[in-house]
Amino acid sequence: GNSVTQMEGPVTLSEEAFLTINCTYTATGYPSLFWYVQYPGEGLQLLLKATKADDKGSNKGFEATYRKETTSFHLEKGSVQVSDSAVYFCALSESKAAGNKLTFGGGTRVLVKP
Amino acid sequence: GAGVSQSPRYKVAKRGQDVALRCDPISGHVSLFWYQQALGQGPEFLTYFQNEAQLDKSGLPSDRFFAERPEGSVSTLKIQRTQQEDSAVYLCASSSRSETQYFGPGTRLLVL
């Protein structure tokens, strides 16, 4: 079956540092890939997505590139802010017949200190 | 417009009680999903509706879990004879014809 593996946290950074969160996946077909973010006290929000190989998703200074050859979708941001402190989830969806249900990784907590 | 709403936001139940969790999707969204998120883990798929039809219930952990969406809008997730292992956050998401799922704030269920 499908699965998503992402690096465990917590990841603690100083403001303006570079952030990378690794994500790799296993899927039987050609999934779409997503990063969702959960800020403290809030619900899950879509951060970015990519629907095919070599696509780059970007939003709010975050980027991730769909790498089919390495089955990866690593999240990066060049200069983090305190407001980026949150839990980040990598996810995939596949099979429109199943309604694009999402398979999530375990989440990575990021804490940015001033 | 309004996002996905869920009620109640918090629910405490005694072991053995039945609970009902409500989800109001974004108006016009055809697809509706339920997920279960245990503490410190990622959400896990429970079930999926397209309009009123429940097309996938492969993630429901036992026959104590039941979901319905009788008119193709509001959905209810019911858990009968709750157990401590049912304690989790229950998330509802809806989507239109695109793939993007929009999540509600979740219902935090604590079974004592």
Side-chain angles (χ1 to χ4, degrees):
Chain A
N2 297 338
S3 67
V4 175
T5 302
Q6 59 183 106
M7 59 189 289
E8 289 190 18
V11 175
T12 303
L13 302 165
S14 296
E15 212 166 15
E16 299 184 2
F18 185 87
L19 170 67
T20 298
I21 304 176
N22 290 339
C23 171
T24 57
Y25 67 90
T26 302
T28 52
Y30 302 96
S32 295
L33 302 174
F34 305 82
W35 277 100
Y36 277 83
V37 59
Q38 191 168 38
Y39 297 104
E42 298 184 18
L44 278 170
Q45 301 175 25
L46 177 66
L47 181 59
L48 53 83
K49 69 177 185 180
T51 58
K52 61 183 187 298
D54 299 325
D55 270 3
K56 178 186 284 188
S58 60
N59 187 25
K60 299 182 180 180
F62 289 89
E63 293 184 341
T65 300
Y66 188 141
R67 300 290 188 196
K68 186 170 179 291
E69 63 276 12
T70 54
T71 61
S72 65
F73 193 54
H74 305 322
L75 183 68
E76 297 181 336
K77 185 172 184 181
S79 178
V80 294
Q81 305 301 312
V82 173
S83 58
D84 294 324
S85 297
V87 182
Y88 293 82
F89 293 93
C90 185
L92 67 81
S93 74
E94 192 176 37
S95 177
K96 289 191 181 296
N100 300 320
K101 63 183 178 185
L102 290 164
T103 300
F104 286 88
T108 302
R109 182 175 299 277
V110 173
L111 178 60
V112 181
K113 295 186 174 180
Chain B
V4 178
S5 61
Q6 294 186 244
S7 60
R9 293 291 311 276
Y10 304 91
K11 178 69 178 177
V12 179
K14 292 182 179 179
R15 190 163 59 94
Q17 276 186 332
D18 297 349
V19 298
L21 312 179
R22 177 187 170 104
C23 172
D24 283 82
I26 293 172
S27 178
H29 277 193
V30 169
S31 299
L32 186 146
F33 303 80
W34 283 98
Y35 295 86
Q36 180 190 58
Q37 186 176 17
L39 188 63
Q41 298 184 21
E44 293 192 354
F45 170 79
L46 293 176
T47 187
Y48 159 66
F49 290 85
Q50 184 174 306
N51 296 306
E52 69 277 5
Q54 188 175 20
L55 299 186
D56 186 346
K57 52 182 180 179
S58 61
L60 296 176
S62 77
D63 58 6
R64 297 185 296 103
F65 286 72
F66 172 77
E68 61 183 5
R69 193 186 185 197
E71 298 179 357
S73 57
V74 172
S75 177
T76 304
L77 176 67
K78 297 179 180 178
I79 309 173
Q80 297 177 323
R81 304 180 303 282
T82 52
Q83 304 295 314
Q84 286 186 323
E85 61 264 29
D86 300 334
S87 296
V89 176
Y90 291 85
L91 298 170
C92 177
S94 70
S95 70
S96 60
R97 299 197 182 279
S98 73
E99 286 185 293
T100 300
Q101 294 184 27
Y102 296 89
F103 283 80
T107 294
R108 185 176 299 274
L109 173 66
L110 177 62
V111 181
L112 301 176

